[in-house]
Structures are given as structure tokens and as C-alpha cells.
Amino acid sequence: MGYDIERFVGYVNEGLLCCICQGVLKDPLQAPCEHAFCASCIHGWLVYHSNCPEDRQTLNMSMLRPLYRYMRNDLNRLQLHCRNGERGCEMVCSLESVEQHERECEYGWISCTNTGCPVQVERRNLSGHLAACELRSQECPKGCGYTVFNSEDMQHNCIAELRSELVMLRVEMVYRMEKAAREMSSRLDSHRQHMVQKESLLQNEVVELKVLHSSST
């Protein structure tokens, strides 16, 4: 579906309207007969038809092309209101930049970032919701440093959590020490093999020198 023409400021050329939904073109495509459509509109049409919905000339997916450049430029320059205008946003911007604005609009809906919270609020109100959200996380008020949720405050056991944390730290420390020991052992084995090879080469050189010396005498 195209953009609602009521959102636009000023006159919109009929050539920039979708022949199917009559909205302002969104992701426009053009047929060889020069009729233009929103991509989603014409794709839906061609599932059940094999012609242009405007003049009935033969049409299929492979025949669709991007809108002429001059028409794309005219389309991108159109001015329209943010879709969040009903909630208070007064921004008017070009069609080319409206999606970027709406992704960041302070009046747009956004989901709470706390895991498991289904609430959606306007972006400008998110910080206030997060401060009061029942599923927000926070450090234990008793000072153990463990992160808890409000609903878990009564069940939280600092000593048990600290013991669990201590066990995890010990396991991690043992793992790291064993890993370091294996790496050191591997390096020593590699160094030992290198020294053995070097010693063997030196012994061969000594033998060769003795042979040369005995043959020269």
C-alpha cells in the first residue's frame, strides 16, 4: 500500500499515485506502458492476473522496472507529515527522509527493553517506564552486588548467591590455571624438540669434521 495522500503538504501529481491503491507511490515500479505502482500492490495483483490493472496490456514480474529518475526525484521531494502526528509530532519532512525520522521519532511506539515485558510506550516516555517497570533489573539493595528483579526481592538470598558466585570463580580460576599449564607444557615440549634436533645437527657436524680431519692426516 502507498502513503496516504492526506499526509502530504500541497499538490501531488497524479503520475505519482499508485494505479491500484491510489496512494502516493511506495517502493515504486513501472510497467512498459508507463503506469506506476507500489511494489507490494503490483506484486499482489500479478499473483492473480497477467496484465496491467490500468490498460490490461500483458504484464509480468520480469517486465517491471524502477520508476524514471526524474519521477523518483519528484517523489522524494514531496513533503509530508510524520505518521505520529496524531500523537503530537509536528515534523514535516521529505518523503526521502521520512522513514529515517519515523524510526527515531519521539512519538513513535517502542517496546520496553526489559526481557519479558510486553509494554509498548512512546519513545519519549521510555526512560520513565524503565524506571518503574516491574521487570527491570537492579543490584541487590543489601549490597551483595547481585542483579535481581523486583519480583525476586523477597526470595533473594545474598549468602547463597555469593557462595554460588565464589564457586563459579573458583571453577573459572582452575580452568584458566589448567589451560595456562597446558600451554606452558606445549611450549616446553616444542622447545625441547627443537633443542634435540639442534643437538643432533651439531653431533652430525662434529662427526663430519672428525672424518675430514682424519682423511686429511
Side-chain angles (χ1 to χ4, degrees), residues 11-65:
Y11 173 74
V12 178
N13 190 303
E14 289 185 4
L16 301 179
L17 301 181
C18 173
C19 294
I20 298 174
C21 72
Q22 294 303 307
V24 177
L25 291 166
K26 186 173 185 179
D27 302 324
L29 293 172
Q30 196 165 33
C33 58
E34 299 189 357
H35 290 118
F37 321 92
C38 303
S40 61
C41 292
I42 191 59
H43 287 166
W45 172 271
L46 291 177
V47 170
Y48 303 102
H49 307 84
S50 58
N51 53 31
C52 170
E54 191 73 6
D55 58 20
R56 304 305 176 183
Q57 292 189 37
T58 300
L59 183 64
N60 57 52
M61 297 286 193
S62 66
M63 299 168 68
L64 296 171
R65 296 290 181 269

CSV table of all heavy atoms in Angstrom, one decimal, residues 11-65:
chain,number,residue,atom,x,y,z
A,11,TYR,N,0.1,20.0,-3.5
A,11,TYR,CA,-0.4,19.2,-4.6
A,11,TYR,C,0.5,18.0,-4.8
A,11,TYR,O,1.7,18.2,-4.8
A,11,TYR,CB,-0.5,20.1,-5.8
A,11,TYR,CG,-0.9,19.4,-7.1
A,11,TYR,CD1,-2.2,18.9,-7.3
A,11,TYR,CD2,0.1,19.1,-8.1
A,11,TYR,CE1,-2.5,18.2,-8.4
A,11,TYR,CE2,-0.3,18.5,-9.2
A,11,TYR,CZ,-1.6,18.0,-9.4
A,11,TYR,OH,-1.9,17.3,-10.5
A,12,VAL,N,-0.1,16.9,-5.1
A,12,VAL,CA,0.7,15.7,-5.6
A,12,VAL,C,0.3,15.3,-7.0
A,12,VAL,O,-0.9,15.1,-7.2
A,12,VAL,CB,0.4,14.5,-4.6
A,12,VAL,CG1,1.2,13.3,-5.1
A,12,VAL,CG2,0.8,14.9,-3.2
A,13,ASN,N,1.2,15.3,-7.9
A,13,ASN,CA,0.9,15.0,-9.3
A,13,ASN,C,0.3,13.6,-9.4
A,13,ASN,O,0.7,12.6,-8.7
A,13,ASN,CB,2.2,15.0,-10.1
A,13,ASN,CG,2.0,14.9,-11.6
A,13,ASN,OD1,1.4,13.9,-12.0
A,13,ASN,ND2,2.5,15.9,-12.3
A,14,GLU,N,-0.7,13.4,-10.2
A,14,GLU,CA,-1.4,12.1,-10.4
A,14,GLU,C,-0.4,11.0,-10.8
A,14,GLU,O,-0.6,9.9,-10.5
A,14,GLU,CB,-2.5,12.3,-11.4
A,14,GLU,CG,-3.7,13.1,-10.9
A,14,GLU,CD,-4.9,13.1,-11.9
A,14,GLU,OE1,-4.8,12.4,-12.9
A,14,GLU,OE2,-5.9,13.7,-11.6
A,15,GLY,N,0.6,11.4,-11.6
A,15,GLY,CA,1.6,10.4,-12.0
A,15,GLY,C,2.4,9.8,-10.9
A,15,GLY,O,3.1,8.8,-11.1
A,16,LEU,N,2.3,10.4,-9.7
A,16,LEU,CA,3.0,9.8,-8.5
A,16,LEU,C,2.1,9.0,-7.6
A,16,LEU,O,2.4,8.7,-6.5
A,16,LEU,CB,3.6,11.0,-7.7
A,16,LEU,CG,4.7,11.8,-8.5
A,16,LEU,CD1,5.2,12.9,-7.6
A,16,LEU,CD2,5.8,10.9,-9.1
A,17,LEU,N,0.9,8.7,-8.1
A,17,LEU,CA,-0.1,7.9,-7.4
A,17,LEU,C,-0.1,6.5,-7.9
A,17,LEU,O,0.0,6.3,-9.1
A,17,LEU,CB,-1.5,8.5,-7.5
A,17,LEU,CG,-1.7,9.9,-6.9
A,17,LEU,CD1,-3.1,10.3,-7.1
A,17,LEU,CD2,-1.2,10.1,-5.5
A,18,CYS,N,-0.2,5.5,-7.0
A,18,CYS,CA,-0.3,4.1,-7.4
A,18,CYS,C,-1.6,3.9,-8.2
A,18,CYS,O,-2.7,4.2,-7.7
A,18,CYS,CB,-0.2,3.2,-6.2
A,18,CYS,SG,-0.5,1.4,-6.6
A,19,CYS,N,-1.6,3.2,-9.3
A,19,CYS,CA,-2.8,2.9,-10.1
A,19,CYS,C,-3.7,1.9,-9.4
A,19,CYS,O,-4.8,1.7,-9.8
A,19,CYS,CB,-2.4,2.4,-11.5
A,19,CYS,SG,-1.5,3.6,-12.5
A,20,ILE,N,-3.2,1.2,-8.4
A,20,ILE,CA,-4.0,0.2,-7.7
A,20,ILE,C,-4.6,0.7,-6.4
A,20,ILE,O,-5.8,0.7,-6.2
A,20,ILE,CB,-3.2,-1.1,-7.4
A,20,ILE,CG1,-2.7,-1.7,-8.7
A,20,ILE,CG2,-4.0,-2.1,-6.6
A,20,ILE,CD1,-1.7,-2.8,-8.6
A,21,CYS,N,-3.8,1.2,-5.5
A,21,CYS,CA,-4.3,1.7,-4.2
A,21,CYS,C,-4.6,3.2,-4.2
A,21,CYS,O,-5.2,3.7,-3.2
A,21,CYS,CB,-3.3,1.4,-3.1
A,21,CYS,SG,-1.8,2.4,-3.1
A,22,GLN,N,-4.2,3.9,-5.2
A,22,GLN,CA,-4.4,5.4,-5.3
A,22,GLN,C,-3.7,6.2,-4.2
A,22,GLN,O,-3.9,7.3,-4.0
A,22,GLN,CB,-5.9,5.7,-5.3
A,22,GLN,CG,-6.6,5.2,-6.5
A,22,GLN,CD,-6.0,5.7,-7.8
A,22,GLN,OE1,-5.9,6.9,-8.0
A,22,GLN,NE2,-5.7,4.8,-8.7
A,23,GLY,N,-2.8,5.5,-3.5
A,23,GLY,CA,-1.9,6.2,-2.5
A,23,GLY,C,-0.7,6.7,-3.2
A,23,GLY,O,-0.4,6.4,-4.4
A,24,VAL,N,0.1,7.5,-2.5
A,24,VAL,CA,1.4,8.0,-3.1
A,24,VAL,C,2.3,6.8,-3.2
A,24,VAL,O,2.5,6.1,-2.2
A,24,VAL,CB,2.0,9.2,-2.3
A,24,VAL,CG1,3.3,9.6,-2.8
A,24,VAL,CG2,1.0,10.4,-2.3
A,25,LEU,N,3.0,6.7,-4.3
A,25,LEU,CA,3.9,5.5,-4.5
A,25,LEU,C,4.8,5.2,-3.4
A,25,LEU,O,5.6,6.1,-2.9
A,25,LEU,CB,4.6,5.7,-5.8
A,25,LEU,CG,3.8,5.7,-7.1
A,25,LEU,CD1,4.6,6.3,-8.3
A,25,LEU,CD2,3.3,4.3,-7.4
A,26,LYS,N,4.9,3.9,-3.1
A,26,LYS,CA,5.9,3.4,-2.1
A,26,LYS,C,6.6,2.3,-2.7
A,26,LYS,O,6.1,1.3,-3.2
A,26,LYS,CB,5.1,2.9,-0.8
A,26,LYS,CG,6.1,2.5,0.3
A,26,LYS,CD,5.3,2.2,1.6
A,26,LYS,CE,6.3,1.9,2.7
A,26,LYS,NZ,5.5,1.6,4.0
A,27,ASP,N,8.0,2.4,-2.7
A,27,ASP,CA,8.8,1.4,-3.4
A,27,ASP,C,8.3,1.2,-4.8
A,27,ASP,O,8.0,0.1,-5.3
A,27,ASP,CB,8.9,0.1,-2.7
A,27,ASP,CG,9.3,0.2,-1.2
A,27,ASP,OD1,10.2,1.0,-1.0
A,27,ASP,OD2,8.8,-0.5,-0.4
A,28,PRO,N,8.3,2.3,-5.6
A,28,PRO,CA,7.6,2.3,-6.9
A,28,PRO,C,8.3,1.4,-8.0
A,28,PRO,O,9.5,1.3,-8.1
A,28,PRO,CB,7.6,3.7,-7.4
A,28,PRO,CG,8.8,4.3,-6.7
A,28,PRO,CD,8.9,3.6,-5.4
A,29,LEU,N,7.4,0.8,-8.8
A,29,LEU,CA,7.8,0.1,-10.0
A,29,LEU,C,6.9,0.5,-11.2
A,29,LEU,O,5.8,0.9,-11.0
A,29,LEU,CB,7.6,-1.5,-9.8
A,29,LEU,CG,8.6,-2.1,-8.8
A,29,LEU,CD1,8.2,-3.5,-8.5
A,29,LEU,CD2,10.0,-2.0,-9.2
A,30,GLN,N,7.5,0.4,-12.4
A,30,GLN,CA,6.8,0.9,-13.6
A,30,GLN,C,6.7,-0.2,-14.6
A,30,GLN,O,7.6,-1.0,-14.9
A,30,GLN,CB,7.5,2.1,-14.1
A,30,GLN,CG,6.8,2.9,-15.1
A,30,GLN,CD,7.4,4.3,-15.3
A,30,GLN,OE1,8.7,4.4,-15.2
A,30,GLN,NE2,6.7,5.3,-15.5
A,31,ALA,N,5.5,-0.2,-15.3
A,31,ALA,CA,5.3,-1.2,-16.4
A,31,ALA,C,5.8,-0.6,-17.7
A,31,ALA,O,6.0,0.7,-17.8
A,31,ALA,CB,3.8,-1.5,-16.5
A,32,PRO,N,6.0,-1.4,-18.8
A,32,PRO,CA,6.4,-0.8,-20.1
A,32,PRO,C,5.4,0.2,-20.6
A,32,PRO,O,5.8,1.1,-21.3
A,32,PRO,CB,6.4,-2.0,-21.0
A,32,PRO,CG,6.7,-3.2,-20.0
A,32,PRO,CD,6.0,-2.8,-18.8
A,33,CYS,N,4.1,0.1,-20.2
A,33,CYS,CA,3.1,1.1,-20.6
A,33,CYS,C,3.2,2.4,-19.8
A,33,CYS,O,2.3,3.3,-20.0
A,33,CYS,CB,1.7,0.4,-20.5
A,33,CYS,SG,1.3,-0.1,-18.8
A,34,GLU,N,4.2,2.5,-18.9
A,34,GLU,CA,4.5,3.6,-18.1
A,34,GLU,C,3.5,3.9,-16.9
A,34,GLU,O,3.6,4.9,-16.2
A,34,GLU,CB,4.6,4.9,-19.0
A,34,GLU,CG,5.7,4.8,-20.0
A,34,GLU,CD,5.9,6.2,-20.7
A,34,GLU,OE1,5.1,7.1,-20.4
A,34,GLU,OE2,6.8,6.2,-21.5
A,35,HIS,N,2.6,2.9,-16.6
A,35,HIS,CA,1.8,3.0,-15.4
A,35,HIS,C,2.7,2.6,-14.2
A,35,HIS,O,3.5,1.7,-14.3
A,35,HIS,CB,0.6,2.2,-15.5
A,35,HIS,CG,-0.4,2.7,-16.5
A,35,HIS,ND1,-0.8,2.0,-17.7
A,35,HIS,CD2,-1.1,3.9,-16.6
A,35,HIS,CE1,-1.7,2.7,-18.3
A,35,HIS,NE2,-1.8,3.9,-17.7
A,36,ALA,N,2.5,3.3,-13.1
A,36,ALA,CA,3.4,3.1,-11.9
A,36,ALA,C,2.6,2.5,-10.8
A,36,ALA,O,1.4,2.8,-10.6
A,36,ALA,CB,4.1,4.4,-11.5
A,37,PHE,N,3.2,1.7,-10.0
A,37,PHE,CA,2.6,1.0,-8.9
A,37,PHE,C,3.5,0.9,-7.6
A,37,PHE,O,4.7,0.9,-7.8
A,37,PHE,CB,2.2,-0.4,-9.3
A,37,PHE,CG,1.7,-0.6,-10.7
A,37,PHE,CD1,2.5,-0.9,-11.7
A,37,PHE,CD2,0.3,-0.4,-10.9
A,37,PHE,CE1,2.1,-1.0,-13.0
A,37,PHE,CE2,-0.2,-0.5,-12.2
A,37,PHE,CZ,0.7,-0.8,-13.3
A,38,CYS,N,2.9,0.8,-6.5
A,38,CYS,CA,3.7,0.4,-5.3
A,38,CYS,C,4.1,-1.0,-5.5
A,38,CYS,O,3.4,-1.8,-6.1
A,38,CYS,CB,2.8,0.4,-4.0
A,38,CYS,SG,2.1,2.0,-3.7
A,39,ALA,N,5.3,-1.4,-5.1
A,39,ALA,CA,5.8,-2.7,-5.3
A,39,ALA,C,4.9,-3.8,-4.7
A,39,ALA,O,4.6,-4.8,-5.4
A,39,ALA,CB,7.2,-2.9,-4.7
A,40,SER,N,4.4,-3.6,-3.5
A,40,SER,CA,3.6,-4.6,-2.9
A,40,SER,C,2.2,-4.7,-3.6
A,40,SER,O,1.7,-5.8,-3.7
A,40,SER,CB,3.3,-4.2,-1.4
A,40,SER,OG,2.7,-3.0,-1.3
A,41,CYS,N,1.7,-3.6,-4.1
A,41,CYS,CA,0.4,-3.6,-4.8
A,41,CYS,C,0.5,-4.4,-6.1
A,41,CYS,O,-0.3,-5.3,-6.4
A,41,CYS,CB,0.0,-2.2,-5.1
A,41,CYS,SG,-0.5,-1.2,-3.7
A,42,ILE,N,1.5,-4.1,-6.9
A,42,ILE,CA,1.6,-4.8,-8.2
A,42,ILE,C,2.0,-6.2,-8.1
A,42,ILE,O,1.5,-7.1,-8.8
A,42,ILE,CB,2.6,-4.0,-9.2
A,42,ILE,CG1,2.4,-4.6,-10.6
A,42,ILE,CG2,4.0,-4.1,-8.7
A,42,ILE,CD1,1.0,-4.5,-11.2
A,43,HIS,N,2.8,-6.6,-7.1
A,43,HIS,CA,3.2,-8.0,-6.8
A,43,HIS,C,1.9,-8.8,-6.5
A,43,HIS,O,1.7,-9.9,-6.9
A,43,HIS,CB,4.2,-8.1,-5.8
A,43,HIS,CG,5.6,-7.6,-6.2
A,43,HIS,ND1,6.6,-7.4,-5.3
A,43,HIS,CD2,6.1,-7.4,-7.4
A,43,HIS,CE1,7.7,-7.0,-6.0
A,43,HIS,NE2,7.4,-7.0,-7.3
A,44,GLY,N,1.1,-8.2,-5.6
A,44,GLY,CA,-0.2,-8.8,-5.2
A,44,GLY,C,-1.1,-9.0,-6.4
A,44,GLY,O,-1.8,-10.0,-6.6
A,45,TRP,N,-1.2,-8.0,-7.3
A,45,TRP,CA,-2.0,-8.1,-8.5
A,45,TRP,C,-1.6,-9.2,-9.4
A,45,TRP,O,-2.4,-9.9,-9.9
A,45,TRP,CB,-2.0,-6.7,-9.2
A,45,TRP,CG,-2.7,-6.7,-10.5
A,45,TRP,CD1,-2.1,-7.0,-11.7
A,45,TRP,CD2,-4.1,-6.4,-10.8
A,45,TRP,NE1,-3.0,-6.9,-12.7
A,45,TRP,CE2,-4.3,-6.5,-12.2
A,45,TRP,CE3,-5.2,-6.1,-10.0
A,45,TRP,CZ2,-5.5,-6.3,-12.8
A,45,TRP,CZ3,-6.4,-5.8,-10.6
A,45,TRP,CH2,-6.6,-6.0,-12.0
A,46,LEU,N,-0.3,-9.3,-9.6
A,46,LEU,CA,0.2,-10.2,-10.6
A,46,LEU,C,0.2,-11.7,-10.1
A,46,LEU,O,0.4,-12.6,-10.9
A,46,LEU,CB,1.7,-9.9,-11.0
A,46,LEU,CG,1.8,-8.6,-11.8
A,46,LEU,CD1,3.3,-8.2,-12.1
A,46,LEU,CD2,1.0,-8.7,-13.1
A,47,VAL,N,-0.1,-11.9,-8.9
A,47,VAL,CA,-0.3,-13.3,-8.4
A,47,VAL,C,-1.6,-13.9,-9.1
A,47,VAL,O,-1.6,-15.1,-9.4
A,47,VAL,CB,-0.5,-13.3,-6.9
A,47,VAL,CG1,-0.9,-14.7,-6.4
A,47,VAL,CG2,0.8,-12.9,-6.2
A,48,TYR,N,-2.5,-13.0,-9.3
A,48,TYR,CA,-3.8,-13.5,-9.9
A,48,TYR,C,-4.1,-13.0,-11.3
A,48,TYR,O,-5.1,-13.5,-11.9
A,48,TYR,CB,-5.0,-13.0,-9.0
A,48,TYR,CG,-4.8,-13.5,-7.6
A,48,TYR,CD1,-4.4,-12.6,-6.6
A,48,TYR,CD2,-5.1,-14.8,-7.2
A,48,TYR,CE1,-4.2,-13.0,-5.3
A,48,TYR,CE2,-5.0,-15.2,-5.9
A,48,TYR,CZ,-4.5,-14.3,-4.9
A,48,TYR,OH,-4.4,-14.8,-3.6
A,49,HIS,N,-3.3,-12.1,-11.8
A,49,HIS,CA,-3.5,-11.5,-13.1
A,49,HIS,C,-2.2,-11.5,-13.9
A,49,HIS,O,-1.1,-11.6,-13.4
A,49,HIS,CB,-4.1,-10.1,-13.1
A,49,HIS,CG,-5.3,-9.9,-12.2
A,49,HIS,ND1,-5.2,-9.8,-10.8
A,49,HIS,CD2,-6.6,-9.9,-12.5
A,49,HIS,CE1,-6.4,-9.7,-10.3
A,49,HIS,NE2,-7.3,-9.8,-11.3
A,50,SER,N,-2.3,-11.3,-15.2
A,50,SER,CA,-1.1,-11.3,-16.1
A,50,SER,C,-1.2,-10.0,-17.0
A,50,SER,O,-0.8,-10.1,-18.1
A,50,SER,CB,-1.1,-12.6,-16.9
A,50,SER,OG,-2.2,-12.7,-17.7
A,51,ASN,N,-1.8,-9.0,-16.5
A,51,ASN,CA,-1.9,-7.8,-17.3
A,51,ASN,C,-1.8,-6.5,-16.4
A,51,ASN,O,-1.9,-6.6,-15.1
A,51,ASN,CB,-3.2,-7.7,-18.1
A,51,ASN,CG,-4.4,-8.0,-17.3
A,51,ASN,OD1,-4.4,-7.6,-16.1
A,51,ASN,ND2,-5.4,-8.6,-17.8
A,52,CYS,N,-1.7,-5.4,-17.0
A,52,CYS,CA,-1.7,-4.1,-16.3
A,52,CYS,C,-3.1,-3.8,-15.8
A,52,CYS,O,-4.0,-3.9,-16.5
A,52,CYS,CB,-1.2,-3.0,-17.2
A,52,CYS,SG,-1.4,-1.3,-16.5
A,53,PRO,N,-3.2,-3.4,-14.5
A,53,PRO,CA,-4.6,-3.2,-14.0
A,53,PRO,C,-5.2,-1.9,-14.6
A,53,PRO,O,-6.4,-1.7,-14.4
A,53,PRO,CB,-4.3,-3.0,-12.5
A,53,PRO,CG,-2.9,-2.6,-12.4
A,53,PRO,CD,-2.2,-3.3,-13.5
A,54,GLU,N,-4.4,-1.1,-15.2
A,54,GLU,CA,-4.9,0.2,-15.8
A,54,GLU,C,-5.4,0.0,-17.2
A,54,GLU,O,-6.5,0.5,-17.6
A,54,GLU,CB,-3.8,1.3,-15.7
A,54,GLU,CG,-4.3,2.7,-16.0
A,54,GLU,CD,-5.2,3.2,-14.8
A,54,GLU,OE1,-5.3,2.6,-13.8
A,54,GLU,OE2,-5.7,4.3,-15.0
A,55,ASP,N,-4.6,-0.6,-18.1
A,55,ASP,CA,-4.9,-0.7,-19.5
A,55,ASP,C,-5.0,-2.1,-20.0
A,55,ASP,O,-5.2,-2.3,-21.2
A,55,ASP,CB,-4.0,0.2,-20.4
A,55,ASP,CG,-2.5,-0.3,-20.2
A,55,ASP,OD1,-2.3,-1.5,-19.8
A,55,ASP,OD2,-1.6,0.5,-20.5
A,56,ARG,N,-4.8,-3.1,-19.2
A,56,ARG,CA,-4.9,-4.5,-19.5
A,56,ARG,C,-3.9,-5.0,-20.5
A,56,ARG,O,-4.1,-6.1,-21.0
A,56,ARG,CB,-6.3,-4.8,-20.0
A,56,ARG,CG,-7.5,-4.4,-19.1
A,56,ARG,CD,-7.3,-5.0,-17.7
A,56,ARG,NE,-8.4,-4.5,-16.8
A,56,ARG,CZ,-8.5,-4.9,-15.5
A,56,ARG,NH1,-7.6,-5.7,-15.0
A,56,ARG,NH2,-9.4,-4.4,-14.8
A,57,GLN,N,-2.8,-4.3,-20.7
A,57,GLN,CA,-1.7,-4.8,-21.5
A,57,GLN,C,-1.0,-5.9,-20.8
A,57,GLN,O,-0.9,-5.9,-19.5
A,57,GLN,CB,-0.8,-3.7,-21.9
A,57,GLN,CG,-1.3,-2.6,-22.8
A,57,GLN,CD,-0.3,-1.7,-23.3
A,57,GLN,OE1,0.8,-2.1,-23.6
A,57,GLN,NE2,-0.6,-0.4,-23.5
A,58,THR,N,-0.5,-6.9,-21.5
A,58,THR,CA,0.3,-8.0,-20.9
A,58,THR,C,1.4,-7.5,-20.0
A,58,THR,O,2.1,-6.6,-20.3
A,58,THR,CB,0.9,-8.9,-22.0
A,58,THR,OG1,-0.2,-9.4,-22.9
A,58,THR,CG2,1.6,-10.1,-21.4
A,59,LEU,N,1.4,-8.1,-18.8
A,59,LEU,CA,2.4,-7.7,-17.8
A,59,LEU,C,2.8,-8.9,-16.9
A,59,LEU,O,1.9,-9.6,-16.5
A,59,LEU,CB,1.9,-6.6,-17.0
A,59,LEU,CG,2.8,-5.9,-15.9
A,59,LEU,CD1,4.0,-5.3,-16.6
A,59,LEU,CD2,2.0,-4.9,-15.1
A,60,ASN,N,4.1,-9.0,-16.6
A,60,ASN,CA,4.5,-10.0,-15.6
A,60,ASN,C,5.7,-9.4,-14.8
A,60,ASN,O,6.1,-8.3,-15.1
A,60,ASN,CB,4.9,-11.3,-16.3
A,60,ASN,CG,6.0,-11.1,-17.3
A,60,ASN,OD1,7.1,-10.5,-17.0
A,60,ASN,ND2,5.8,-11.6,-18.5
A,61,MET,N,6.1,-10.1,-13.8
A,61,MET,CA,7.1,-9.6,-12.9
A,61,MET,C,8.4,-9.1,-13.6
A,61,MET,O,9.0,-8.1,-13.3
A,61,MET,CB,7.5,-10.6,-11.9
A,61,MET,CG,6.4,-11.1,-10.9
A,61,MET,SD,6.0,-9.8,-9.7
A,61,MET,CE,4.9,-10.8,-8.6
A,62,SER,N,8.8,-9.9,-14.6
A,62,SER,CA,10.1,-9.6,-15.3
A,62,SER,C,10.1,-8.3,-16.1
A,62,SER,O,11.1,-7.8,-16.5
A,62,SER,CB,10.5,-10.8,-16.2
A,62,SER,OG,9.6,-10.9,-17.2
A,63,MET,N,8.9,-7.8,-16.4
A,63,MET,CA,8.7,-6.6,-17.2
A,63,MET,C,8.7,-5.4,-16.4
A,63,MET,O,8.8,-4.3,-16.9
A,63,MET,CB,7.4,-6.7,-18.0
A,63,MET,CG,7.4,-7.9,-19.0
A,63,MET,SD,5.7,-8.2,-19.7
A,63,MET,CE,5.5,-6.8,-20.7
A,64,LEU,N,8.6,-5.5,-15.1
A,64,LEU,CA,8.6,-4.3,-14.2
A,64,LEU,C,10.0,-3.7,-14.1
A,64,LEU,O,11.0,-4.4,-14.0
A,64,LEU,CB,8.1,-4.7,-12.8
A,64,LEU,CG,6.7,-5.2,-12.7
A,64,LEU,CD1,6.4,-5.7,-11.4
A,64,LEU,CD2,5.7,-4.1,-13.1
A,65,ARG,N,10.1,-2.4,-14.1
A,65,ARG,CA,11.3,-1.6,-14.0
A,65,ARG,C,11.2,-0.5,-12.9
A,65,ARG,O,10.1,-0.1,-12.6
A,65,ARG,CB,11.6,-1.0,-15.3
A,65,ARG,CG,11.9,-2.0,-16.4
A,65,ARG,CD,13.2,-2.7,-16.2
A,65,ARG,NE,13.5,-3.7,-17.3
A,65,ARG,CZ,13.2,-4.9,-17.3
A,65,ARG,NH1,12.5,-5.4,-16.2
A,65,ARG,NH2,13.5,-5.7,-18.3
